[in-house]
Amino acid sequence: MSLFSKYNLHTQFSVIFFQKSSRSTAPRYVMIRRNFIKNSSLALGGFTLGTLPIFDLKNYKDIIIGHNSHQYKIDLNWGALNSNFYPVKDCHEMVQDSKGRIILLTNHIKNNIIIYDKSGQLQEVWTTKLPEAHGLTLNVEDGQDFLYITDSEKNKVIKTTLSGKRVLELNFPKGKEKYTSPTQYKPTETAIAENGDIYVADGYGEQWILHYNSNGELLNIFGGKEYFDNAHGIAIDNRDSKNPTLLITARQQNKLKRFTLDGNFLSEINLPGAFICRPVIHGQHVYLATIWSGDGSEGSGFISILDKNNKLISAPGGCIPTYKNGDLKPMYQALKVFTHPHDVCVDEDENLYVAQWNSGATYPIKLVRV
Amino acid sequence: MKGRSSIAAENGKIEICSPLFHSRLRSNYDLLNIRNMKKILVGLGFLCFALSCKTSMQLPSSFAQEHTFQLAKPIIKVDSVFFQKSATVSIELEHPEVEIFFVAKHLSTDGFLGKATAPIEIKDRKTITADAHHPNFLKSESASIEVIKINSIARKAKISMTPKPKAPYIGNGAATLTDFKKGSFQFRDGNWLGFASDTVQFDLKFPKKQSLTSIGISFLKDHDSWIFLPKKIEILNSGKIISESVFPTPESEVEPDFKFVNISFLEKKTDSISIRIINLEGIPNWHPGKGLPSWLFIDEVFFPN
């Protein structure tokens, strides 16, 4: 008995193996079967090759976020670094220096300052060993860039060169009736006027705005809890060059408040549902990282962009900004792009760099203007 | 060949065939006309490939692509969570091309579902669950809200609280419990009464006897803020416990949520009823505040309709 007869052959498919035979001598059914398999394989291969690209290509389309004139593509990998060497805890704030480099402030004491070029390549890293480095402002003075960094845990503001050399320190205003202890003073942000005067927002402390001259001498204290619940950010608004004012965040109140440079309240801009961090003014627009939204739930952030009339015109990651009878409808997150945006830096091409707090130690995201 | 597989040897070839295959192959050959079929199938394959070339061909870029991000949960708004006749619910997520679908039901009772294009009127106790869809984004997580039909009996009662709520969570005193206003997750919104004691008791005194069969209490649960549900709730009438509800001790942190507790009892015609809320015996061990007193946050006492 041959080897094959021992197998149970009640199957619907045949097994054929044979020596190579010519078309003319192979049995008819063998040839038919061979051709059928060959043709089917060829057709299947062609079909697969033809249709796969359709399904594949369909998925490759860049997402665009934002509204009206300010829309962006998202580069999630822009600032990514090796966390073994350049770790971050929270990315707090970002500025652009005179060389066009993007400077990131983190509260990781190994590298408080991380400097990138605009393409996201690492340029330089150094530290001030500040455990809660929070606010970062850059000011050009006599052609040189200086950084103003706040630390709410160390209760101070420091001024450094771009290489980290400290040139000025502003500690808590001892002897002033507003403060009795350094721990009351938890500065979150600074703004520098054209004449070099320094404004410090005590956003995590007593909510005062402290006004110093360029030598660090205290000139005025204003604001306080009467005006602010979390005076998180401050900026000089020079859009009306003849009449510069201060724009100060009241984050828990979802408002920007406008003051004169000598501390008189003028007006407020209401942004319901938007827990804004600090105003960044670029051209005629105001950019605000919005760390929470709606009812203030975790992970509900987006970006707010105001036009020259201080109307919210674009909210990348947020819902469509809508005004009714002059009032903005409460804002909220629509897309889960951002977790907790904490600051926005705007470059000369109006691209945005977004630093995030409490987002799993992630690096900044770049939004490219389209 | 008859029903069994056969072995054939021809010209040195060994071949094992089944008769079923032969009959099938013959009919295939007859029907398909393989030579033409080959041309058709190959041509089809190349046509598909050519068509794909005509579509907007885009190679993957360094930017985030479609289907990367998820939609946020839709926003559900209601004019009043506690209502007497009806509640109007609106669901939205203001983003172009978003579609929202919802389901409204309560336990095993009949409900209804649909696409949220206009405000929805609810006339009975319901939980409304909704999620958002968009062709370019991942489906959102579900959002939900419970709306409860109540009567106004509680507003007729004079309520005394023992102890009083602890500042700053004092709301508007006892009136907070019958104002039909739902507190939010921002527990400092003035709509919550906060207690940090072992036991809290509400004594309700009506001007005249009421026929009661159940009572409801609305709680906030926010473990991150040290706010927990109670261990037990007892309903008392004339000093006697007529019903109670026990809650399991939470074993881990959960997201903030509201809890509407309904406690039923045999019908009572009475002009007074008391609610005794027994707090946890300290925050659970898994929590950073383990062993310390937990908070009880209550915003409403109601009688379901």
Side-chain angles (χ1 to χ4, degrees):
Chain A
M1 183 182 290
S2 73
L3 182 66
F4 294 100
S5 66
K6 292 180 182 175
Y7 291 98
N8 183 344
L9 299 173
H10 292 288
T11 60
Q12 293 190 22
F13 299 100
S14 306
V15 174
I16 303 174
F17 78 93
F18 45 81
Q19 297 171 348
K20 185 179 175 182
S21 67
S22 71
R23 199 180 172 88
S24 58
T25 57
R28 184 165 176 255
Y29 52 80
V30 172
M31 291 305 303
I32 290 165
R33 176 179 170 74
R34 186 192 303 166
N35 287 340
F36 181 79
I37 290 173
K38 188 169 77 179
N39 295 331
S40 301
S41 303
L42 197 64
L44 184 65
F47 187 75
T48 304
L49 203 66
T51 53
L52 261 180
I54 294 174
F55 296 119
D56 252 7
L57 289 173
K58 232 171 116 178
N59 286 335
Y60 294 138
K61 193 173 173 193
D62 300 340
I63 273 293
I64 295 176
I65 60 172
H67 309 93
N68 300 310
S69 53
H70 286 64
Q71 298 187 32
Y72 304 86
K73 290 187 178 182
I74 308 166
D75 185 349
L76 288 170
N77 297 315
W78 175 83
L81 298 172
N82 187 329
S83 59
N84 290 322
F85 299 103
Y86 312 108
V88 297
K89 275 169 54 183
D90 303 301
C91 292
H92 275 143
E93 300 208 331
M94 304 176 81
V95 294
Q96 188 176 29
D97 70 6
S98 299
K99 294 179 184 174
R101 301 180 305 171
I102 307 296
I103 304 175
L104 166 68
L105 181 74
T106 85
N107 55 354
H108 199 296
I109 57 170
K110 188 177 177 190
N111 33 242
N112 283 138
I113 294 287
I114 299 177
I115 303 178
Y116 300 89
D117 67 15
K118 279 175 55 180
S119 70
Q121 295 298 308
L122 181 66
Q123 302 294 297
E124 202 177 323
V125 169
W126 47 269
T127 186
T128 58
K129 289 198 177 3
L130 292 174
E132 267 309 313
H134 185 278
L136 179 70
T137 303
L138 184 142
N139 195 48
V140 182
E141 298 165 19
D142 295 326
Q144 187 178 354
D145 290 359
F146 290 93
L147 298 177
Y148 291 77
I149 302 171
T150 72
D151 188 303
S152 49
E153 187 175 304
K154 292 291 185 188
N155 319 112
K156 63 172 70 182
V157 176
I158 63 171
K159 175 183 175 181
T160 74
T161 64
L162 279 195
S163 54
K165 181 183 171 189
R166 291 192 191 196
V167 296
L168 180 68
E169 261 191 37
L170 302 173
N171 295 301
F172 96 103
K174 188 176 178 181
K176 301 294 174 185
E177 70 275 12
K178 306 278 193 277
Y179 293 93
T180 54
S181 158
T183 55
Q184 291 177 298
Y185 180 57
K186 298 176 191 293
T188 46
E189 195 63 78
T190 58
I192 318 301
E194 269 194 37
N195 64 355
D197 283 4
I198 306 165
Y199 293 86
V200 179
D202 180 16
Y204 289 155
E206 298 301 305
Q207 310 305 312
W208 296 108
I209 308 299
L210 292 85
H211 176 188
Y212 299 84
N213 65 18
S214 57
N215 296 320
E217 293 161 342
L218 187 61
L219 303 176
N220 190 15
I221 301 179
F222 59 92
K225 293 179 183 176
E226 180 190 349
Y227 288 98
F228 298 110
D229 184 355
N230 195 196
H232 191 269
I234 185 169
I236 308 284
D237 188 351
N238 275 320
R239 287 179 293 172
D240 178 357
S241 55
K242 293 177 186 171
N243 190 26
T245 53
L246 292 165
L247 265 185
I248 307 171
T249 309
R251 189 164 72 178
Q252 288 302 112
Q253 297 161 299
N254 304 162
K255 292 177 195 279
L256 278 172
K257 302 203 173 185
R258 193 180 293 281
F259 281 71
T260 62
L261 294 183
D262 53 11
N264 295 311
F265 173 71
L266 291 172
S267 62
E268 60 187 32
I269 301 164
N270 199 14
L271 299 167
F275 291 75
I276 46 177
C277 286
R278 76 150 163 184
V280 173
I281 300 172
H282 183 91
Q284 291 297 307
H285 293 86
V286 184
Y287 298 79
L288 302 123
T290 306
I291 191 170
W292 305 293
S293 65
D295 61 2
S297 301
E298 297 297 307
S300 60
F302 59 87
I303 307 298
S304 300
I305 303 173
L306 314 184
D307 68 5
K308 62 181 180 181
N309 299 314
N310 302 311
K311 294 287 183 211
L312 184 59
I313 56 164
S314 178
C319 64
I320 301 170
T322 307
Y323 283 82
K324 192 175 178 184
N325 300 325
D327 294 325
L328 177 66
K329 268 186 70 179
M331 294 293 294
Y332 51 83
Q333 186 188 60
L335 303 172
K336 298 188 84 61
V337 173
F338 304 106
T339 310
H340 300 121
H342 194 269
D343 193 30
V344 175
C345 174
V346 190
D347 69 17
E348 66 275 16
D349 298 321
E350 297 188 350
N351 302 313
L352 308 184
Y353 304 83
V354 181
Q356 297 201 83
W357 167 84
N358 193 21
S359 62
T362 55
Y363 295 89
I365 293 172
K366 182 172 181 176
L367 301 185
V368 176
R369 184 97 184 264
V370 297
Chain B
M1 302 195 190
K2 296 176 183 179
R4 285 188 68 179
S5 301
S6 63
I7 301 168
E10 187 177 41
N11 297 334
K13 296 185 291 290
I14 300 175
E15 175 188 77
I16 306 164
C17 307
S18 86
L20 186 58
F21 173 78
H22 283 292
S23 61
R24 183 176 290 175
L25 185 57
R26 275 199 182 144
S27 65
N28 282 349
Y29 179 75
D30 291 335
L31 290 170
L32 293 177
N33 194 348
I34 291 181
R35 188 176 291 178
N36 288 336
M37 187 63 187
K38 172 183 169 180
K39 290 177 187 171
I40 291 168
L41 290 176
V42 170
L44 187 65
F46 278 107
L47 180 66
C48 290
F49 188 77
L51 276 175
S52 71
C53 292
K54 278 195 170 182
T55 59
S56 56
M57 198 169 197
Q58 193 166 352
L59 294 172
S61 73
S62 61
F63 296 115
Q65 305 293 300
E66 286 179 348
H67 309 289
T68 300
F69 301 109
Q70 186 182 28
L71 290 168
K73 286 186 196 178
I75 306 296
I76 305 179
K77 295 179 194 169
V78 61
D79 52 357
S80 184
V81 167
F82 303 108
F83 63 95
Q84 289 187 272
K85 290 184 182 169
S86 67
T88 302
V89 175
S90 65
I91 314 174
E92 67 175 49
L93 189 69
E94 291 288 321
H95 190 278
E97 295 181 75
V98 161
E99 290 184 313
I100 300 172
F101 297 92
F102 72 91
V103 173
K105 67 178 294 178
H106 177 58
L107 299 175
S108 58
T109 60
D110 285 343
F112 57 96
L113 51 83
K115 187 171 164 182
T117 54
I120 309 155
E121 193 182 21
I122 306 288
K123 293 185 177 177
D124 295 292
R125 182 171 183 164
K126 287 278 189 293
T127 298
I128 297 99
T129 305
D131 44 52
H133 301 251
H134 189 287
N136 299 337
F137 298 100
L138 304 174
K139 190 185 85 154
S140 74
E141 290 178 15
S142 295
S144 65
I145 193 169
E146 187 173 3
V147 293
I148 301 175
K149 190 171 185 179
I150 63 177
N151 57 48
S152 58
I153 294 175
R155 280 189 166 174
K156 297 174 186 170
K158 184 180 172 188
I159 302 178
S160 55
M161 303 184 288
T162 312
K164 297 273 189 297
K166 191 168 180 182
Y169 313 110
I170 59 174
N172 191 23
T176 308
L177 297 174
T178 56
D179 61 3
F180 287 19
K181 287 181 188 171
K182 184 80 198 77
S184 70
F185 288 116
Q186 298 287 325
F187 52 83
R188 296 181 184 87
D189 64 6
N191 289 318
W192 293 100
L193 300 180
F195 302 88
S197 52
D198 295 337
T199 308
V200 176
Q201 183 153 327
F202 299 144
D203 298 307
L204 284 73
K205 182 79 178 161
F206 302 98
K208 59 181 183 179
K209 286 190 178 181
Q210 305 287 336
S211 182
L212 306 173
T213 56
S214 68
I215 193 165
I217 309 107
S218 170
F219 290 92
L220 171 66
K221 179 172 59 178
D222 184 351
H223 294 168
D224 207 33
S225 304
W226 297 25
I227 301 170
F228 287 77
L229 293 179
K231 178 179 170 184
K232 192 176 175 183
I233 302 176
E234 294 168 344
I235 308 299
L236 299 101
N237 178 244
S238 301
K240 290 181 185 171
I241 297 173
I242 60 172
S243 189
E244 65 181 32
S245 188
V246 178
F247 302 87
T249 303
E251 295 179 354
S252 61
E253 183 169 344
V254 296
E255 279 199 15
D257 200 3
F258 303 126
K259 178 75 176 174
F260 302 116
V261 177
N262 250 33
I263 303 176
S264 301
F265 41 83
L266 291 174
E267 186 177 6
K268 284 283 176 193
K269 272 194 170 43
T270 180
D271 64 354
S272 68
I273 196 161
S274 296
I275 306 167
R276 184 186 295 157
I277 304 166
I278 300 163
N279 205 349
L280 295 178
E281 291 163 2
I283 291 176
N285 287 336
W286 50 263
H287 192 280
K290 64 180 180 184
L292 294 171
S294 59
W295 283 88
L296 290 165
F297 267 61
I298 301 154
D299 68 334
E300 202 77 10
V301 168
F302 55 92
F303 293 90
N305 205 349

